[in-house]
Amino acid sequence: MKYLHTMIRVMDLDRALHFFVEILGLKVTRRNEHPEGKFTLVFLSTGETDAPEIELTYNWGQTEPYTSGRNFGHLAYEVDNIYETCTQIQKMGVVINRPPRDGRMAFVRSPDLISIELLQKGKSLPLMEPWLSMPNSGEW
C-alpha cells in the first residue's frame, strides 16, 4: 500500500493556492477541471520524488463554509529552521497560532482553517525571543 494524498475542500481556490504555494512553498503537480461535475482538483507536493500530495477540491458555486470535524487533526511539514520559516510566514500576513516557543514546533492555519504543523528538522533550536514569550493566538 502507498500513501497518495490528503484531500481538503476549499472555498476560494486562488486564496488557498496563494497560501499553499506562495506562503508554504508547495508545488502544483497537476490540475484537473471537471465541468461535468462542477469541481476543480489541484494537487500539491513538496516537489520531492514520490512525495505525498495534498488535493485541494474546489466545488464550483459552494457558498456555505464547510464544517470541520475534530477527527481531522492537521497537516505537518518539516522545515530547516523553524524561526526563519515562522518569520517569513508572519511577514506574509499569516498569524502564527502556536509560536515555536520550544524551538521545535509551530502551527498556522490555511484560509480554510486547516491546521498546519511546522516541525524543526533534527533537534530543537535554542530558545529565543520573540518566540519564547509569544502567546498562542486563536485555535490551532
Side-chain angles (χ1 to χ4, degrees):
M1 189 178 319
K2 177 181 175 184
Y3 176 74
L4 297 176
H5 65 264
T6 298
M7 187 271 275
I8 300 170
R9 288 183 177 87
V10 300
M11 292 290 297
D12 182 330
L13 185 56
D14 291 333
R15 192 170 171 215
L17 285 170
H18 173 76
F19 177 80
F20 286 104
V21 174
E22 301 301 323
I23 294 175
L24 290 186
L26 298 181
K27 313 282 188 257
V28 174
T29 57
R30 63 190 184 281
R31 180 181 179 132
N32 304 319
E33 303 287 339
H34 296 273
E36 69 286 352
K38 297 183 180 173
F39 66 94
T40 301
L41 303 178
V42 179
F43 291 84
L44 309 166
S45 81
T46 59
E48 297 172 5
T49 304
D50 291 330
E53 295 176 309
I54 296 174
E55 172 192 327
L56 301 181
T57 298
Y58 172 64
N59 292 301
W60 306 353
Q62 178 73 25
T63 58
E64 296 296 317
Y66 294 103
T67 59
S68 51
R70 289 292 294 158
N71 60 337
F72 180 80
H74 61 266
L75 302 174
Y77 292 95
E78 180 180 76
V79 299
D80 289 331
N81 185 303
I82 191 76
Y83 298 137
E84 289 176 6
T85 300
C86 286
T87 297
Q88 179 182 359
I89 288 172
Q90 196 173 44
K91 285 180 182 176
M92 295 174 139
V94 175
V95 172
I96 307 297
N97 300 100
R98 194 279 192 193
R101 289 184 295 274
D102 56 3
R104 172 146 182 80
M105 174 181 62
F107 278 87
V108 297
R109 294 185 90 180
S110 78
D112 293 283
L113 305 179
I114 301 298
S115 290
I116 312 292
E117 180 181 25
L118 304 170
L119 289 169
Q120 173 61 42
K121 184 177 182 178
K123 295 184 179 185
S124 298
L125 297 181
L127 305 181
M128 66 182 293
E129 294 294 349
W131 310 108
L132 182 60
S133 60
M134 190 180 289
N136 291 342
S137 177
E139 295 179 15
W140 45 278

Coordinates of all heavy atoms in Angstrom, one line a residue, residues 84-127:
E84 N 13.2 31.0 11.2 CA 13.2 31.7 9.9 C 11.9 31.4 9.1 O 11.3 32.4 8.5 CB 14.4 31.2 9.0 CG 15.7 31.7 9.5 CD 16.9 31.1 8.8 OE1 16.7 30.5 7.7 OE2 18.0 31.4 9.2
T85 N 11.4 30.2 9.1 CA 10.1 29.9 8.5 C 9.0 30.7 9.0 O 8.2 31.3 8.3 CB 9.8 28.4 8.5 OG1 10.9 27.7 7.9 CG2 8.5 28.0 7.9
C86 N 8.9 30.7 10.4 CA 7.8 31.5 11.0 C 7.9 33.0 10.7 O 6.9 33.6 10.5 CB 7.7 31.2 12.5 SG 7.1 29.5 12.9
T87 N 9.1 33.5 10.7 CA 9.3 34.9 10.5 C 8.8 35.2 9.0 O 8.1 36.2 8.8 CB 10.8 35.3 10.6 OG1 11.1 35.1 12.0 CG2 11.0 36.8 10.3
Q88 N 9.2 34.4 8.1 CA 8.8 34.6 6.7 C 7.3 34.5 6.5 O 6.7 35.3 5.9 CB 9.5 33.6 5.8 CG 9.2 33.7 4.3 CD 9.8 32.6 3.5 OE1 10.6 31.8 4.0 NE2 9.6 32.6 2.2
I89 N 6.7 33.5 7.1 CA 5.2 33.3 7.0 C 4.5 34.5 7.7 O 3.5 35.0 7.1 CB 4.8 32.0 7.7 CG1 5.3 30.8 6.7 CG2 3.3 31.9 7.9 CD1 5.1 29.5 7.4
Q90 N 5.0 34.9 8.8 CA 4.4 36.1 9.5 C 4.5 37.3 8.7 O 3.5 38.1 8.6 CB 5.1 36.2 10.9 CG 4.3 37.1 11.8 CD 5.0 37.1 13.2 OE1 6.2 37.2 13.3 NE2 4.2 36.9 14.3
K91 N 5.6 37.6 8.0 CA 5.7 38.7 7.1 C 4.8 38.7 6.0 O 4.5 39.8 5.4 CB 7.2 38.8 6.6 CG 8.2 39.3 7.6 CD 9.6 39.4 7.0 CE 10.6 39.8 8.1 NZ 12.0 39.8 7.5
M92 N 4.3 37.5 5.6 CA 3.3 37.4 4.5 C 1.9 37.6 5.0 O 0.9 37.3 4.3 CB 3.5 36.1 3.8 CG 4.8 36.0 3.1 SD 5.1 34.4 2.4 CE 5.8 34.8 0.9
G93 N 1.7 37.9 6.3 CA 0.4 38.2 6.8 C -0.3 37.0 7.5 O -1.5 37.1 7.8
V94 N 0.4 35.9 7.7 CA -0.2 34.8 8.3 C 0.0 34.8 9.8 O 1.1 35.0 10.3 CB 0.3 33.5 7.7 CG1 -0.2 32.2 8.4 CG2 0.0 33.4 6.2
V95 N -1.0 34.6 10.6 CA -0.9 34.5 12.1 C -0.2 33.2 12.5 O -0.6 32.1 12.0 CB -2.3 34.6 12.7 CG1 -2.2 34.4 14.2 CG2 -3.0 35.9 12.4
I96 N 0.7 33.3 13.3 CA 1.4 32.1 13.9 C 0.5 31.8 15.1 O 0.6 32.4 16.2 CB 2.8 32.4 14.3 CG1 3.7 32.9 13.2 CG2 3.5 31.1 14.9 CD1 3.8 32.1 12.0
N97 N -0.4 30.8 15.0 CA -1.3 30.5 16.0 C -0.7 29.8 17.3 O -1.1 30.1 18.4 CB -2.4 29.5 15.5 CG -3.2 30.1 14.4 OD1 -2.9 29.8 13.2 ND2 -4.1 31.0 14.7
R98 N 0.3 29.0 17.0 CA 1.1 28.4 18.1 C 2.5 28.7 17.8 O 3.1 28.0 16.9 CB 0.8 26.9 18.2 CG 1.3 26.3 19.5 CD 2.7 25.9 19.5 NE 3.1 25.1 20.5 CZ 4.4 24.9 20.9 NH1 5.4 25.4 20.2 NH2 4.7 24.1 21.8
P99 N 3.1 29.7 18.4 CA 4.5 30.1 18.1 C 5.5 28.9 18.5 O 5.2 28.1 19.4 CB 4.8 31.3 18.9 CG 3.4 31.8 19.3 CD 2.5 30.6 19.4
P100 N 6.7 28.9 17.9 CA 7.7 27.9 18.2 C 8.5 28.2 19.5 O 9.7 28.3 19.5 CB 8.6 27.9 17.0 CG 8.5 29.3 16.5 CD 7.1 29.8 16.8
R101 N 7.7 28.3 20.6 CA 8.4 28.7 21.9 C 9.4 27.6 22.3 O 10.4 27.9 23.0 CB 7.3 28.8 23.0 CG 6.4 30.0 22.9 CD 5.5 30.1 24.1 NE 4.5 29.0 24.1 CZ 3.4 28.9 23.4 NH1 3.0 30.0 22.7 NH2 2.6 27.9 23.4
D102 N 9.2 26.4 21.9 CA 10.1 25.3 22.2 C 11.3 25.1 21.2 O 12.1 24.2 21.4 CB 9.4 24.0 22.4 CG 8.6 23.6 21.1 OD1 8.7 24.4 20.1 OD2 7.8 22.6 21.2
G103 N 11.3 26.0 20.2 CA 12.4 25.8 19.2 C 12.1 24.6 18.2 O 13.0 24.3 17.5
R104 N 10.9 24.1 18.3 CA 10.7 22.8 17.5 C 9.4 22.9 16.7 O 9.4 22.3 15.6 CB 10.7 21.7 18.5 CG 10.2 20.4 17.8 CD 10.9 19.2 18.4 NE 10.5 18.0 17.7 CZ 11.0 17.6 16.6 NH1 11.8 18.3 15.9 NH2 10.5 16.4 16.0
M105 N 8.3 23.4 17.3 CA 7.0 23.2 16.7 C 6.2 24.5 16.6 O 6.2 25.3 17.6 CB 6.2 22.2 17.5 CG 4.8 22.0 17.1 SD 3.9 20.7 18.1 CE 4.0 21.5 19.7
A106 N 5.5 24.7 15.5 CA 4.6 25.9 15.4 C 3.4 25.4 14.6 O 3.4 24.4 13.9 CB 5.3 27.0 14.7
F107 N 2.3 26.2 14.7 CA 1.1 25.9 14.0 C 0.6 27.2 13.3 O 0.6 28.2 14.0 CB -0.1 25.4 14.9 CG 0.0 23.9 15.1 CD1 0.8 23.4 16.2 CD2 -0.7 23.0 14.4 CE1 0.9 22.0 16.5 CE2 -0.6 21.6 14.6 CZ 0.2 21.1 15.7
V108 N 0.1 27.1 12.1 CA -0.6 28.1 11.4 C -1.9 27.5 10.8 O -2.1 26.3 10.9 CB 0.3 28.7 10.2 CG1 1.5 29.4 10.8 CG2 0.6 27.7 9.2
R109 N -2.8 28.3 10.3 CA -4.0 27.8 9.6 C -4.1 28.3 8.2 O -3.8 29.5 7.9 CB -5.2 28.2 10.5 CG -5.1 27.5 11.8 CD -6.4 27.7 12.6 NE -7.3 26.7 12.3 CZ -8.5 26.6 12.9 NH1 -8.9 27.6 13.7 NH2 -9.3 25.7 12.6
S110 N -4.6 27.5 7.3 CA -4.9 27.9 6.0 C -6.1 28.8 5.9 O -6.8 28.9 6.9 CB -5.1 26.7 5.1 OG -6.4 26.2 5.3
P111 N -6.4 29.4 4.8 CA -7.6 30.3 4.7 C -8.8 29.5 4.9 O -9.8 30.1 5.3 CB -7.5 30.8 3.2 CG -6.1 30.7 2.8 CD -5.5 29.5 3.6
D112 N -8.8 28.2 4.8 CA -10.0 27.3 5.1 C -9.9 26.7 6.4 O -10.6 25.7 6.7 CB -10.1 26.3 4.0 CG -10.5 26.9 2.7 OD1 -11.7 27.3 2.5 OD2 -9.6 27.1 1.8
L113 N -9.0 27.2 7.3 CA -8.9 26.9 8.7 C -8.3 25.5 8.9 O -8.5 24.8 9.9 CB -10.2 27.1 9.5 CG -10.8 28.5 9.4 CD1 -12.1 28.6 10.1 CD2 -9.8 29.5 9.9
I114 N -7.5 25.0 8.0 CA -6.8 23.7 8.1 C -5.6 24.0 8.9 O -4.8 24.8 8.6 CB -6.5 23.1 6.8 CG1 -7.7 22.8 5.9 CG2 -5.7 21.8 7.0 CD1 -8.7 21.9 6.5
S115 N -5.4 23.2 10.0 CA -4.2 23.4 10.8 C -3.0 22.8 10.1 O -3.0 21.7 9.6 CB -4.3 22.7 12.2 OG -5.3 23.4 13.0
I116 N -1.9 23.6 10.1 CA -0.6 23.2 9.5 C 0.4 23.2 10.6 O 0.7 24.2 11.2 CB -0.2 24.1 8.4 CG1 -1.3 24.4 7.4 CG2 1.1 23.6 7.7 CD1 -1.8 23.3 6.6
E117 N 1.0 22.0 10.9 CA 2.1 22.0 11.9 C 3.4 22.1 11.1 O 3.7 21.5 10.1 CB 2.1 20.6 12.6 CG 3.1 20.5 13.6 CD 3.1 19.1 14.3 OE1 2.6 18.2 13.8 OE2 3.6 19.1 15.5
L118 N 4.3 23.0 11.7 CA 5.7 23.1 11.1 C 6.6 22.6 12.2 O 6.6 23.0 13.4 CB 5.9 24.6 10.9 CG 5.0 25.3 10.0 CD1 5.2 26.8 10.0 CD2 5.1 24.7 8.6
L119 N 7.4 21.6 11.8 CA 8.4 21.0 12.7 C 9.8 21.2 12.3 O 10.2 21.0 11.2 CB 8.1 19.4 12.8 CG 6.8 19.0 13.4 CD1 6.5 17.6 13.1 CD2 6.9 19.3 14.9
Q120 N 10.6 21.5 13.3 CA 12.0 21.8 13.1 C 12.7 20.4 12.7 O 12.5 19.4 13.4 CB 12.7 22.3 14.4 CG 14.2 22.4 14.3 CD 14.7 23.3 13.2 OE1 14.1 24.4 13.0 NE2 15.7 22.9 12.5
K121 N 13.5 20.5 11.6 CA 14.3 19.3 11.2 C 15.4 19.1 12.2 O 16.1 20.0 12.7 CB 14.9 19.6 9.8 CG 15.6 18.4 9.3 CD 16.1 18.8 7.9 CE 16.8 17.7 7.2 NZ 17.3 18.0 5.9
G122 N 15.5 17.8 12.6 CA 16.5 17.5 13.6 C 16.2 17.9 15.0 O 15.0 17.9 15.4
K123 N 17.1 18.3 15.8 CA 16.9 18.7 17.2 C 16.3 20.1 17.2 O 16.4 20.9 16.3 CB 18.2 18.7 17.9 CG 18.8 17.3 18.1 CD 20.1 17.4 18.9 CE 20.6 15.9 19.0 NZ 21.7 15.9 19.9
S124 N 15.6 20.4 18.4 CA 15.1 21.7 18.6 C 16.2 22.8 18.6 O 17.3 22.5 19.0 CB 14.4 21.8 20.0 OG 13.3 20.9 20.0
L125 N 15.8 24.0 18.1 CA 16.7 25.1 18.1 C 16.8 25.7 19.5 O 15.8 25.5 20.2 CB 16.3 26.1 17.1 CG 16.3 25.7 15.6 CD1 15.9 26.9 14.7 CD2 17.6 25.2 15.2
P126 N 17.9 26.4 19.8 CA 17.9 27.1 21.1 C 16.7 28.1 21.3 O 16.3 28.7 20.3 CB 19.2 27.9 21.1 CG 20.1 27.1 20.1 CD 19.1 26.6 19.0
L127 N 16.2 28.1 22.5 CA 15.1 29.0 22.7 C 15.5 30.5 22.5 O 16.6 30.9 22.8 CB 14.6 28.9 24.2 CG 14.2 27.4 24.6 CD1 13.7 27.4 26.0 CD2 13.2 26.8 23.6

